[in-house]
Amino acid sequence: MSCQEQQEEELEVLQSIYDGDESFKQVNEKCFQYKIGEDNTNKSFVLEIVWGEDYPENLPNINLDAFYNKHLYDHVKVTIIDKIRDEAEANSGCAMTYTLFEFAKDNSEDLLLEQIEAPVIKEEPKEHIQQMAKVKERKEQLTKAQKRKITQRTNK
């Protein structure tokens, strides 16, 4: 069976397995992402697997370059990629995308051992902060009649 036929078969299997799974995302025919861990925590990451032309005969590209992973320390990223690459080498020549995603899910605690647990702080957009500042700067404008009444009350 050619690499192309194996890829088509694996693509069909992945689509059937992950149908309805919000953590799985198919970027294109050869690029897949899976979110490991819970949203808005430092103990989560998006694993991306990209098939080359000769996959599964050769290993896929494994990366953590997604913007979602900006909170991960560089040494943690290296550890994750190294361990997942080791698992990929053990499955060389076979369809392995599902296996790699499941390995990452099952071993997420070990993969993220050196990552701190502090929650991810969502920053408010600068525009929103500037709008709030403008709103706070406004002072109440009094009419002339209101000013006269205040003056008359204080002068008595």
Side-chain angles (χ1 to χ4, degrees):
M1 186 182 288
S2 73
C3 290
Q4 183 65 32
E5 291 171 331
Q6 288 178 330
Q7 288 178 14
E8 289 171 4
E9 187 176 299
E10 185 174 0
L11 176 60
E12 190 176 311
V13 169
L14 287 172
Q15 289 172 340
S16 68
I17 290 173
Y18 292 118
D19 183 37
D21 188 343
E22 293 180 10
S23 297
F24 177 77
K25 180 180 178 185
Q26 181 178 346
V27 178
N28 60 42
E29 289 183 2
K30 297 185 179 214
C31 181
F32 308 91
Q33 295 179 341
Y34 198 89
K35 183 173 24 166
I36 311 294
E38 295 181 29
D39 284 338
N40 299 323
T41 66
N42 276 358
K43 294 283 188 169
S44 65
F45 62 95
V46 172
L47 174 62
E48 183 176 82
I49 296 178
V50 182
W51 298 344
E53 291 298 318
D54 51 357
Y55 170 85
E57 296 301 320
N58 290 332
L59 298 181
N61 183 20
I62 301 164
N63 73 62
L64 299 171
D65 295 337
F67 182 75
Y68 183 87
N69 296 333
K70 69 180 190 274
H71 65 279
L72 291 177
Y73 297 124
D74 289 339
H75 69 279
V76 173
K77 287 181 181 180
V78 170
T79 301
I80 293 169
I81 290 173
D82 286 347
K83 289 183 179 180
I84 292 174
R85 188 168 289 127
D86 290 344
E87 184 69 16
E89 287 172 359
N91 291 290
S92 184
C94 302
M96 67 181 84
T97 304
Y98 172 78
T99 305
L100 297 179
F101 286 150
E102 290 302 307
F103 173 81
K105 284 181 4 185
D106 295 343
N107 296 289
S108 63
E109 287 184 28
D110 293 335
L111 296 173
L112 295 168
L113 197 59
E114 296 180 27
Q115 183 71 24
I116 61 168
E117 291 187 29
V120 176
I121 299 171
K122 287 188 173 181
E123 294 182 26
E124 291 192 37
K126 290 181 181 179
E127 293 175 11
H128 180 68
I129 294 170
Q130 289 172 348
Q131 288 174 351
M132 288 178 59
K134 288 180 183 177
V135 171
K136 290 179 183 177
E137 290 176 10
R138 289 188 176 182
K139 295 181 181 178
E140 186 178 343
Q141 298 293 322
L142 301 175
T143 63
K144 288 184 182 181
Q146 290 172 325
K147 289 178 185 177
R148 266 192 236 117
K149 283 184 183 179
I150 292 173
T151 306
Q152 289 171 355
R153 287 183 197 157
T154 57
N155 286 341
K156 290 184 179 181

